[in-house]
Amino acid sequence: MTTAQPAVRADTTTAIARHVSAGRCILFLGAGVHYPPRPVAPPARQYSYPEKDRPPLGGDLSEMLARGCGFADDFPGESPRHLARVARCYEYVHGRSALVDAVTGAVHDRTRPSPVLRALAELQFPLVATTNYDQLFEAALQSHGKRPHVCVYEPEPRRVAVVPPDPSADAPFVIKLHGDVKVRESLVITDEDYIRFVMRMGDKEPDNPVPETFRYYFKRWPTLFVGYSLKDYNLRLLFQTLRWKMDPSYTPRTYSVDPYPDPLVLDVLQNQQKYVTFVAEDAWEFVPRLYREVTGKEMAE
């Protein structure tokens, strides 16, 4: 099946820049934000993100774990790039503590924020959600003198609602939806973890794992997805759950930066439901242009 990629309209970036400049846009960060620049993307050629500084992406992390637990021998014919399945195998063989140690060593130790991440951290995003386990975005925020209020997913009901200070560009509210390597019990990485997370999404306040502050603004402000493919079933389930039962006439705009949007997902979310506008570029093409529109200067190398 071949489908022409949607053209990137200049006014789409301008619209996003306007929301960001007003401090009324939610940033949703995925693991793909850690991709290195593509050599075929001219705007990205001046930038670099060495492999030694990058955390592995989901498939690469999965292959690393698979080698450490004999996954190929025990499950011949299964893909070693299915992270949730492989992580469950690693946990079965070595235990939960060893799994968390392995993930921490891969995504946190010796890694550094990329120019793209530093540029996004400089912009006016008062609310940030991420399913990344690392702390690279928080480090990028702090490098700009910002004071993030970080809320990490808790597998057990918290019983006390999280009430952050009013989010602002200088003190953004950062939600770590799938946990943080420094909060060992918080990681959502195995199949069982994902099932538990989805079940928790139906909890009432104050037990719901997504703080009310975030849910309130998510239904009112535009959202920018960077580093995700909306082909990801778990992400679409989370996205639809957060906006469940909303009348389309009240749904704020959503933008997804994805160099290769899945044609079936694009048809449903953009053409039929009118929920999402896809920007068919990678982060190294899109973010420098957004940064230039918002700040009037070039993104730093």
Side-chain angles (χ1 to χ4, degrees), residues 5 20 26 42 92 105 174 192-193 219 245 280 284 290 299:
Q5 297 297 313
V20 174
I26 297 170
Y92 173 76
V174 180
E192 293 300 315
D193 295 334
K219 295 178 181 179
K245 296 183 179 179
W284 294 92
L290 175 66
M299 188 177 95

Side-chain angles (χ1 to χ4, degrees), residues 41-54:
R45 287 177 183 158
Q46 62 179 305
Y47 301 107
S48 66
Y49 192 27
E51 184 176 2
K52 65 181 179 62
D53 294 337
R54 304 193 306 258

Side-chain angles (χ1 to χ4, degrees), residues 81-137:
R81 296 183 67 81
H82 183 183
L83 180 58
R85 173 79 166 158
V86 171
R88 179 66 188 96
C89 176
Y90 196 99
E91 181 182 54
Y92 173 76
V93 172
H94 298 294
R96 184 70 178 193
S97 181
L99 172 63
V100 175
D101 287 342
V103 173
T104 301
V107 308
H108 180 75
D109 297 347
R110 298 177 299 280
T111 56
R112 302 176 62 184
S114 69
V116 158
L117 213 57
R118 294 197 303 270
L120 288 171
E122 187 178 347
L123 299 182
Q124 298 96 300
F125 291 105
L127 282 167
V128 181
T130 181
T131 51
N132 296 344
Y133 310 126
D134 60 75
Q135 296 182 332
L136 292 175
F137 190 68

Side-chain angles (χ1 to χ4, degrees), residues 277-289:
T277 298
F278 284 89
V279 179
E281 294 182 326
D282 72 10
W284 294 92
E285 297 169 277
F286 172 78
V287 174
R289 191 170 66 255

Side-chain angles (χ1 to χ4, degrees), residues 140-173:
L141 287 169
Q142 291 165 353
S143 72
H144 291 296
K146 298 188 178 184
R147 306 173 306 282
H149 178 94
V150 181
C151 176
V152 179
Y153 166 69
E154 298 178 20
E156 297 297 330
R158 62 172 63 93
R159 300 298 177 186
V160 177
V162 173
V163 183
D166 290 338
S168 68
D170 291 330
F173 188 27

Side-chain angles (χ1 to χ4, degrees), residues 33 53 64 74 76 102 112 115 122 145 172-173 220 266 271 283 290:
V33 77
D53 294 337
M64 183 202 78
D74 292 337
R112 302 176 62 184
E122 187 178 347
F173 188 27
R220 290 162 175 81
L266 184 148
N271 299 340
L290 175 66

Side-chain angles (χ1 to χ4, degrees), residues 9-299:
R9 294 169 53 113
D11 58 352
T12 298
T13 306
T14 299
I16 298 170
R18 185 170 62 250
H19 297 311
V20 174
S21 297
R24 296 175 61 87
C25 187
I26 297 170
L27 178 62
F28 228 111
L29 281 177
V33 77
H34 299 317
Y35 270 116
R38 293 184 297 165
V40 296
R45 287 177 183 158
Q46 62 179 305
Y47 301 107
S48 66
Y49 192 27
E51 184 176 2
K52 65 181 179 62
D53 294 337
R54 304 193 306 258
L57 300 177
D60 297 330
L61 174 61
S62 183
E63 288 190 342
M64 183 202 78
L65 294 175
R67 290 191 295 270
C69 67
F71 183 82
D73 295 331
D74 292 337
F75 303 98
E78 291 196 31
S79 172
R81 296 183 67 81
H82 183 183
L83 180 58
R85 173 79 166 158
V86 171
R88 179 66 188 96
C89 176
Y90 196 99
E91 181 182 54
Y92 173 76
V93 172
H94 298 294
R96 184 70 178 193
S97 181
L99 172 63
V100 175
D101 287 342
V103 173
T104 301
V107 308
H108 180 75
D109 297 347
R110 298 177 299 280
T111 56
R112 302 176 62 184
S114 69
V116 158
L117 213 57
R118 294 197 303 270
L120 288 171
E122 187 178 347
L123 299 182
Q124 298 96 300
F125 291 105
L127 282 167
V128 181
T130 181
T131 51
N132 296 344
Y133 310 126
D134 60 75
Q135 296 182 332
L136 292 175
F137 190 68
E138 295 94 300
L141 287 169
Q142 291 165 353
S143 72
H144 291 296
K146 298 188 178 184
R147 306 173 306 282
H149 178 94
V150 181
C151 176
V152 179
Y153 166 69
E154 298 178 20
E156 297 297 330
R158 62 172 63 93
R159 300 298 177 186
V160 177
V162 173
V163 183
D166 290 338
S168 68
D170 291 330
F173 188 27
V174 180
I175 300 99
K176 308 291 288 286
L177 290 165
H178 285 172
D180 183 299
V181 290
K182 291 303 182 181
V183 183
R184 296 179 63 85
E185 69 276 13
S186 69
L187 294 196
V188 178
I189 189 169
T190 69
D191 284 328
E192 293 300 315
D193 295 334
Y194 279 103
I195 292 171
R196 184 178 184 84
F197 177 82
V198 171
M199 292 176 65
R200 290 288 319 282
M201 287 292 292
D203 287 352
K204 303 297 183 182
E205 198 67 29
D207 295 338
N208 191 289
V210 181
E212 185 177 12
T213 297
F214 181 81
R215 286 184 280 123
Y216 175 86
Y217 286 107
F218 191 71
K219 295 178 181 179
R220 290 162 175 81
W221 286 357
T223 299
L224 174 64
F225 284 91
V226 181
Y228 284 108
S229 167
L230 291 185
K231 184 180 177 181
D232 185 316
Y233 174 83
N234 290 314
L235 177 64
R236 291 208 315 280
L237 179 61
L238 171 63
F239 175 63
Q240 297 286 19
T241 301
L242 288 170
R243 287 185 176 166
W244 182 242
K245 296 183 179 179
M246 278 191 70
D247 187 287
S249 64
Y250 291 97
T251 303
R253 298 304 302 264
T254 298
Y255 305 91
S256 178
V257 178
D258 183 349
Y260 306 110
D262 180 82
L264 301 180
V265 173
L266 184 148
D267 184 57
V268 171
L269 295 183
Q270 178 169 289
N271 299 340
Q272 295 182 30
Q273 298 180 354
K274 312 295 184 184
Y275 270 173
V276 178
T277 298
F278 284 89
V279 179
E281 294 182 326
D282 72 10
W284 294 92
E285 297 169 277
F286 172 78
V287 174
R289 191 170 66 255
L290 175 66
Y291 184 88
R292 187 183 311 116
E293 288 224 21
V294 173
T295 68
K297 58 185 181 181
E298 295 299 319
M299 188 177 95

